[in-house]
Amino acid sequence: MRIGQLAAQAGASPRQVRFYEAKGLITSTRGPNNYREYSETTLGRVRQIRELLNAGLSTQAIRGILPCLESPRAPIVFEGVTAETVTALEQERDRLTERIDVLARNRDAIADYLTELRQHAA
């Protein structure tokens, strides 16, 4: 598929797709017309990248865990993963856990507030 189609299906812009490629997060081939061509696998990869970026991971951290993105469960891919990658992932996990805790507290506070509003409205 071409870049525009990939971008639309992944919820990204063509510029973002080119950025991911420039950062080494995805690859493309060139068709006879010299247009970039992407596989269906790349569509899934771009969606994963966008989710990880939205979660707050940097492109550098994402590039470090790319071997794990191929098979996040079983079998786990160990090739290319360094001690630095493990440390960075631990830090990212801890940072995400903190964000989740804050979001959960905010959600609970809003739920409590809504309960009070409903009780007073009735």
Side-chain angles (χ1 to χ4, degrees):
M1 76 183 73
R2 288 196 189 152
I3 192 168
Q5 184 181 6
L6 173 69
Q9 289 184 22
S13 70
R15 183 176 180 189
Q16 288 170 315
V17 172
R18 285 189 295 275
F19 176 76
Y20 302 154
E21 191 168 354
K23 291 292 187 176
L25 303 176
I26 61 172
T27 59
S28 66
T29 58
R30 294 286 180 160
N33 54 10
N34 206 32
Y35 290 163
R36 287 180 171 96
E37 296 285 339
Y38 297 94
S39 67
E40 289 293 323
T41 304
T42 305
L43 174 60
R45 172 62 58 88
V46 170
R47 287 177 175 157
Q48 279 183 312
I49 291 166
R50 293 187 51 72
E51 289 174 6
L52 292 168
L53 288 169
N54 286 337
L57 273 71
S58 68
T59 55
Q60 183 178 1
I62 294 169
R63 188 174 42 253
I65 64 170
L66 282 178
C68 303
L69 294 180
E70 294 299 323
S71 60
R73 295 285 183 253
I76 295 175
V77 175
F78 293 100
E79 184 178 325
V81 177
T82 65
E84 292 80 17
T85 301
V86 172
T87 300
L89 282 174
E90 289 172 340
Q91 292 170 346
E92 291 295 335
R93 180 206 53 212
D94 294 345
R95 191 182 60 73
L96 289 172
T97 299
E98 289 175 20
R99 286 185 63 196
I100 290 167
D101 292 345
V102 168
L103 289 170
R105 283 194 305 272
N106 288 339
R107 181 203 55 217
D108 293 346
I110 289 170
D112 292 345
Y113 184 66
L114 285 170
T115 299
E116 290 295 321
L117 286 175
R118 289 185 185 113
Q119 287 178 355
H120 285 77

